[in-house]
Amino acid sequence: FPAGITSPGNNTWIWTDTLPTTLANLTAGTDLSCYFPAGEIEIGFDQARDDDTRGCDEATRESFGAITYTRDELVHIVNPQGAGTEPGNMAAGAVEANAVGYISLRMGIKHGTAPAAEHLWDIYMVTTGAEHITPLQAGKYVRRVKTSWTRVKRGVKLTSP
């Protein structure tokens, strides 16, 4: 990232029902960026360590195994619906329970900047499970959808059709 780039306001999360292979596929998706509460979209990961000790070794030897991406729930704001400049709750309409879709993440570029061929995207396949709507003290509601994530592409540039 260039010096001085910070995370807030500089990430874009787009949901698509199919793996985006072109900019047209991506821009036909739903931008979820402004539906996520701050701090609710961090993706964790873990990597297994396997014992790789050989018969001739005098010490334990380890090797890295498969990477697992972790985001137990996708949490997004449910309301207001259609108030102000929001055209409705597109997040709830796009992310269905018990389904499979893709989230494409662009980092380090101001949200609202149109996707371009030179931008890099990380693309995750997201399997969703059960959903539940919970009230917040501020009078809003959040929807929690159980998820399982698999990164399918890292740092990919999407082309024009």
Side-chain angles (χ1 to χ4, degrees):
F1 292 104
I5 295 294
T6 58
S7 180
N10 290 310
N11 298 319
T12 300
W13 302 84
I14 297 177
W15 175 274
T16 54
D17 292 331
T18 59
L19 179 65
T21 56
T22 67
L23 287 172
N25 298 145
L26 184 72
T27 56
T30 302
D31 185 343
L32 301 178
S33 307
C34 293
Y35 290 99
F36 297 136
E40 285 289 347
I41 193 58
E42 296 172 10
I43 302 170
F45 77 98
D46 195 10
Q47 187 171 20
R49 292 178 183 256
D50 299 325
D51 185 347
D52 196 17
T53 306
R54 314 292 168 87
C56 62
D57 288 339
E58 294 180 13
T60 302
R61 185 190 311 201
E62 291 183 330
S63 61
F64 285 108
I67 296 174
T68 303
Y69 293 93
T70 55
R71 179 73 217 159
D72 292 338
E73 296 179 326
L74 188 63
V75 179
H76 67 83
I77 299 293
V78 173
N79 67 324
Q81 295 188 28
T85 60
E86 185 182 31
N89 194 340
M90 296 187 296
V95 181
E96 296 180 13
N98 302 307
V100 175
Y102 295 85
I103 287 187
S104 299
L105 165 62
R106 177 184 67 189
M107 297 182 282
I109 297 174
K110 184 161 182 58
H111 177 261
T113 302
E118 67 271 12
H119 297 166
L120 298 176
W121 295 86
D122 287 351
I123 303 173
Y124 298 85
M125 181 176 71
V126 181
T127 302
T128 61
E131 65 179 343
H132 180 70
I133 296 177
T134 308
L136 296 177
Q137 287 184 336
K140 294 190 180 294
Y141 292 87
V142 295
R143 177 174 173 246
R144 298 177 181 281
V145 182
K146 292 294 185 183
T147 58
S148 173
W149 296 61
T150 303
R151 186 172 69 190
V152 293
K153 295 187 182 275
R154 180 178 182 275
V156 66
K157 293 181 179 182
L158 299 175
T159 60
S160 299

